[in-house]
Amino acid sequence: MNTRVLTGITTSGTPHLGNYAGAIRPAIQASRQPGVDAFFFLADYHALIKTTEDPARVARSRLEIAATWLAAGLDPEKVTFYRQSDIPEIPELCWLLTCVTPKGLMNRAHAYKASVDQNTAKGVDPDDGISMGLFSYPVLMAADILLFNAHKVPVGRDQIQHLEMARDIAQRFNHIYGDDYFVLPEVVIAEEVATLPGLDGRKMSKSYNNTIPLFEGGAKALRSAVMRIVTDSRQPGEAKDAENSHLYTLYRAFASAPESASFRQALEQGMGWGDAKQALCDLLERDLSAMRERYVELMAAPGRIEDILMAGADKARKQAVPFIARLRDAVGLRRLGGATGDKPAAGGKKAAARAPRFVSFRDDNGSFRFRLLAPDGEELLCSIAYADPKEAGAVMRRLQTETALLRAEGMAYSIVLDDAPVAHGPAAADARARDVALDRAREALQALTRAG
Ligand code: TRP
């Protein structure tokens, strides 16, 4: 089985060079490994935790971040790339998890505690300015991860505690509801990944206002930032301390080993800082200029990005929808008068009439088919055509004894045995209606397997 790797990107800013080298580039490389099933998503619900006063900023950031990842080479055919807010099963699961999460666990979350500490230091109410969104942030993050049963979650160090909480919450749910519903996710901290210094030598970060832009502003903005990198006052001709210059650290993050070695040597032999900056610009342009062109094209065609993200959401929901149905069932959110696990009352025509049922028929071409009908008579599935009635009967019986896979297919759905669809559901008006129908079909089959 493939390793499922999942990570989220909070959409609350414009990507800079540090984001690229530290997160985007390694994640895209990892997604190309064989045996990896990558799920990358825009954590736009998380963005609302920090940004409620600037909806335009949130909207812009979603676009910029999506365009950046695509321009940087993310292949949406290989990776499942989607927006958190297009997956209604995430907030749905978030609530199920919220109800098994001890409040005390959330009280210990670093992000929340830091805000409380700041308030205490200021002498204001400890919870001043703290929303329930910030407080419950780790539960939403657990839902992101657990809904897709991710095995590995690459994140920054600041997220380690959130991963521990996700495991803790998953374990509680599994324990309470008595099955291994959730995989326990493992945190992955990439040690070898570059943490780039910013213009002033501190970690490159929006909050220090020391970033080098990645694509925004074009080659001109990139160059003007590079020219502002702080260096010491050694003149051309004087030997430079390459190891301790952040200009060299930046260079190394984009150069091959031999290129880095000769750059270092040139600095030690007295290359001027101006020339060194020019060399860094050339190096960055070599790596980034083709991507920047793609970025500009994508930013000019937001409809194309929207289509890619909607296709990604479809792909993600193929897994999320059946899984959430199972979880709803686990916690007792079940349809009334049907699949409660109780057998229908003995005897009595009435009970039989209220149960879901299979009916066989011959179609206009003389082939043999069967239908699965809901308790109210609605058609949930219609089989493919069989020339041999015994074969149709055998498939019908298997559906009553085995757990077959139901899967969405456009606005319809089908049921699969031995990798081939054996029956199809009717097409619905939209995805939500299809999912409701698909749930009903699943419940009907479960009721029949239990009764059989
Ligand atoms: N909280 C993460 C961050 O700020 C982003 C994120 C949201 C995330 N949901 C996730 C990361 C799920 C990994 C998995 O970096």
Side-chain angles (χ1 to χ4, degrees):
M1 186 185 161
N2 282 353
T3 305
R4 206 169 273 189
V5 176
L6 175 146
T7 199
I9 310 105
T10 307
T11 52
S12 56
T14 304
H16 54 65
L17 204 63
N19 300 138
Y20 174 72
I24 301 171
R25 188 173 62 184
I28 292 176
Q29 272 165 4
S31 76
R32 292 179 178 150
Q33 302 290 316
V36 166
D37 234 346
F39 284 64
F40 295 158
F41 69 96
L42 306 177
D44 51 358
Y45 280 141
H46 278 90
L48 299 183
I49 294 170
K50 292 184 217 158
T51 314
T52 45
E53 68 292 339
D54 195 355
R57 178 76 268 214
V58 173
R60 173 91 191 158
S61 174
R62 291 159 105 222
L63 174 64
E64 286 173 350
I65 292 180
T68 300
W69 281 73
L70 292 168
L74 177 136
D75 177 359
E77 294 294 322
K78 179 155 189 338
V79 173
T80 306
F81 184 50
Y82 55 98
R83 259 179 314 221
Q84 187 183 30
S85 65
D86 287 331
I87 315 289
E89 292 72 27
I90 292 175
E92 195 170 349
L93 176 58
C94 185
W95 184 252
L96 303 189
L97 299 179
T98 298
C99 294
V100 300
T101 302
K103 176 170 175 288
L105 183 69
M106 294 299 102
N107 288 342
R108 292 197 288 277
H110 299 321
Y112 168 68
K113 271 196 350 198
S115 302
V116 169
D117 289 349
Q118 279 172 19
N119 284 335
T120 315
K122 275 193 274 175
V124 297
D125 184 273
D127 279 330
D128 192 59
I130 299 176
S131 69
M132 284 305 295
L134 176 66
F135 185 67
S136 318
Y137 173 124
V139 191
L140 179 57
M141 186 158 156
D144 294 333
I145 298 168
L146 300 180
L147 184 62
F148 297 103
N149 272 328
H151 302 105
K152 300 205 182 279
V153 182
V155 283
R157 298 204 152 274
D158 58 326
Q159 300 293 318
I160 295 176
Q161 190 196 33
H162 294 149
L163 260 293
E164 283 165 3
M165 289 175 161
R167 289 172 65 92
D168 200 338
I169 294 168
Q171 250 164 340
R172 275 167 202 272
F173 190 98
N174 286 350
H175 177 74
I176 292 170
Y177 295 108
D179 204 346
D180 286 336
Y181 292 101
F182 298 124
V183 166
L184 303 187
E186 276 172 42
V187 67
V188 181
I189 304 292
E191 304 288 356
E192 72 286 1
V193 156
T195 306
L196 291 194
L199 300 177
D200 56 1
R202 290 185 292 172
K203 178 183 175 205
M204 191 181 295
S205 160
K206 199 175 55 165
S207 39
Y208 294 147
N209 198 19
N210 65 355
T211 60
I212 298 176
L214 179 59
F215 300 138
E216 278 298 307
K220 209 166 148 225
L222 180 71
R223 187 186 160 80
S224 113
V226 168
M227 293 304 157
R228 282 183 281 120
I229 294 174
V230 176
T231 58
D232 63 27
S233 54
R234 275 175 241 192
Q235 297 301 304
E238 282 184 69
K240 312 288 185 299
D241 179 2
E243 204 50 48
N244 286 313
S245 97
H246 40 278
L247 197 129
Y248 176 59
T249 311
L250 285 164
Y251 192 93
R252 242 181 356 192
F254 290 86
S256 67
E259 286 167 339
S260 299
S262 72
F263 186 71
R264 179 193 178 121
Q265 202 184 23
L267 280 171
E268 286 167 356
Q269 290 173 355
M271 171 167 53
W273 287 123
D275 289 346
K277 287 179 175 178
Q278 186 54 52
L280 176 58
C281 274
D282 294 345
L283 181 71
L284 291 174
E285 282 302 319
R286 179 186 77 186
D287 249 36
L288 301 178
S289 66
M291 289 182 210
R292 188 193 295 123
E293 263 172 51
R294 285 200 293 274
Y295 176 80
V296 171
E297 275 170 33
L298 284 161
M299 289 296 285
R304 234 172 87 204
I305 303 182
E306 182 69 24
D307 290 347
I308 291 173
L309 290 171
M310 290 316 283
D314 259 3
K315 211 156 111 187
R317 293 192 69 214
K318 291 229 158 63
Q319 317 209 15
V321 170
F323 190 39
I324 201 82
R326 187 170 161 234
L327 298 173
R328 289 175 61 98
D329 187 70
V331 302
L333 302 179
R334 299 172 191 150
R335 209 165 292 285
L336 303 179
T340 57
D342 304 332
K343 299 215 172 180
K349 269 189 185 162
K350 263 191 185 163
R354 270 190 280 109
R357 58 202 180 277
F358 280 106
V359 290
S360 314
F361 67 103
R362 274 188 99 161
D363 67 18
D364 295 344
N365 301 321
S367 301
F368 296 89
R369 295 183 190 252
F370 58 85
R371 288 194 175 96
L372 173 65
L373 301 180
D376 62 6
E378 183 196 332
E379 178 181 314
L380 298 172
L381 285 167
C382 182
S383 79
I384 56 175
Y386 292 93
D388 179 353
K390 282 202 205 100
E391 205 186 335
V395 170
M396 208 168 87
R397 272 189 302 281
R398 278 184 67 188
L399 292 178
Q400 293 175 69
T401 48
E402 296 173 23
T403 310
L405 180 71
L406 268 165
R407 68 174 182 217
E409 238 168 34
M411 288 305 143
Y413 55 89
S414 62
I415 188 157
V416 178
L417 276 180
D418 308 329
D419 290 334
V422 293
H424 300 276
D430 57 31
R432 198 74 200 179
R434 174 202 61 204
D435 296 340
V436 169
L438 198 150
D439 277 356
R440 293 193 73 189
R442 178 177 299 104
E443 283 180 13
L445 284 164
Q446 279 171 356
L448 286 166
T449 2
R450 273 195 219 99

